[in-house]
Each structure stands twice: as C-alpha cells, then as structure tokens.
Amino acid sequence: MSAAPRVIRTPAEMTVWSEAARARGERVAFVPTMGALHAGHAALVRRARAENASVAVSIFVNPLQFDDPADLARYPRTEEADARLLEQAGCDLVLLLPRDGVFPPGFQTRLDQPALSGLLEGAVRPGHFAGVLTVVARLLAIAQPAAAYFGRKDFQQTVLVRRLVADLELPARIVVCDTVRDADGLALSSRNVFLSPADRARGLCLVRALCAVESAFERGERKGPALEALLRRELAPLGAPPDYAVVVDPEDLSPRAVARAGDVAVLAARLGKLRLIDNHVLGAKIGPFPQRP
Ligand code: PAF
C-alpha cells in the first residue's frame, strides 16, 4: 500500500527536502503540474517513480501563462482527487506553493524564446510561453531535481523547456513521456471535462487526422503540403478551419517541405468555447482506434 505524499508549502522547505534526498545519494525527480490530474499525469509520476528514488510533484495554476483571466478562473481545480491520484501513483512529495511562494513580491523576471514562443500555440495565446518558461525555471530552481517529466501532448512546451534547460545549462534532465489517450483515441487533457458528449465525439477527428497522416507517411508520402492537406481534410467536419495543422521540424518548429521520421504533425482546433491540441511524431505507432460510427 502506498503512503500519502508529504505536503510542502514553502520554497525553502522544498529545497531542504531536495538537498537531503541528494545527500542520501537519491536522485530527485520532479513533475510540474497545474492540478486537475488525470491518467496522463499518473503516467508521468509512475515513470518518474520507476527511474528515480524520490518523486516530487508541484501543483500550481500559473497565472502568467493564461492570456485570458476567464480561462484562469475556470481552470478545473480538483484537490481531493489529485491527492488520491498522487498517492496511488507513488509520489513522495506534493509541492503546493501559494502565488507569492512562486513569485514573491517584487518578482520581475520574464523568460522568453522569441523565435519559438510566437509560433503555433504562441500565435493564438500571446505571452503563454513566456509564462510557462518563467514558471518552469522558477520551479526547477526551487525543486532542484535531477530530472523533470513532461507530457508530449504539449509538444511545443517540451521543445521550449528543453531549449530553456540547454540555454541556461540547468542541471535537470528533461524527460518527455508519450501522450496518454482514452480508448477512443482522444488525448487526455485537464480541460476535457468541459467537453459536451457531442463535442467530445466531434473532437475525435483530431486523432483521426493524426492516424491518417501516419498512414500516408507509412505509404511513402513525404510532401509537407500534402500531409497538411490531409490533416485539414480530416478536420473539416469541425466546420471551422483549425488554428494550425502542419508537419514541423521537432527542434525549430518550422514547417517541413519534405517530411522525415521524427518530424511532428501538430494541430489545434476549436470546439465550442474549448481548444483541443494534439500531435504525432511521424514514424511512431498510433492507434488503431475505433472507426467513425
Ligand atoms: O503543462 C503544464 O501543466 C504547465 O504548463 C506547467 C508545465 C506545469 C507549467 O505551469
């Protein structure tokens, strides 16, 4: 039976815990989250658990990465369920910092990556990635982990975080874990709770688009524009053009004229008030999922 994780509410206590673990020769893993945890987060914690002696998870709904105050206000908060999931997944410590623990009064620093942060998600959500980079750098400074775990569902975020750690020569290794999907293929997301059953069913065309692009790639299609046209065709039932649907270079996120294995098909589309994002690494396995009814 797993024990309830210890809860820490100040940066100083977190740093002491991390230093003590290192002094015992233990590798500390860190999983930053915004709560509203689901099986995708549990998979990150389990992998961190399997690869390290100590696992800390932070829950902090970071105001800096929301461009819309209404979106921040309605972001799901599910503290009790989160605590149960973390206990079952084998987390040792939960870091629950208040806003002024993460960003103390007078905090001024903002990090950004101008060439990357305005693309794709960043074009639709101005300032989002500066907020993500700033909070991730701050949380890594507090937790001082040997490794930090992120889900590939937020593919662009993983690209920027890896760049952050490389540019600043931070000591944490960034581990990117596969997207966890429901049985029908929908990528898990904390915001999926807001999908009506009808929108949820319509949202499955995102994963169908990714499966279609992978099949075409396996049959030998390499032309970026042709793969993009296929993505858009599969997304057409949504009735509005996607925010983006494109095959990109996995390092600089530029659109690929000629695709190769390891490139990433990324897409984002609106469903009612919600946006869904998803992606697929070309040449990797995806599906099969149940066909359209
Ligand atoms: O992916 C998330 O949940 C957030 O962007 C992160 C990495 C916890 C930063 O707030």
Side-chain angles (χ1 to χ4, degrees), residues 97-148:
L97 295 178
R99 183 177 176 150
D100 65 2
V102 181
F103 301 120
F107 188 95
Q108 282 292 318
T109 301
R110 292 290 182 279
L111 294 168
D112 204 1
Q113 294 170 4
L116 294 173
S117 64
L119 303 173
L120 304 171
E121 279 305 286
V124 187
R125 305 174 68 187
H128 170 69
F129 285 115
V132 170
L133 290 168
T134 304
V135 82
V136 169
R138 176 77 182 119
L139 291 171
L140 291 177
I142 293 169
Q144 301 181 5

Side-chain angles (χ1 to χ4, degrees), residues 251-273:
E251 297 297 322
D252 68 12
L253 303 174
S254 61
R256 279 291 201 208
V258 180
R260 12 180 146 123
D263 287 349
V264 184
V266 289
L267 37 81
R270 285 169 202 272
L271 259 128
K273 286 201 180 107

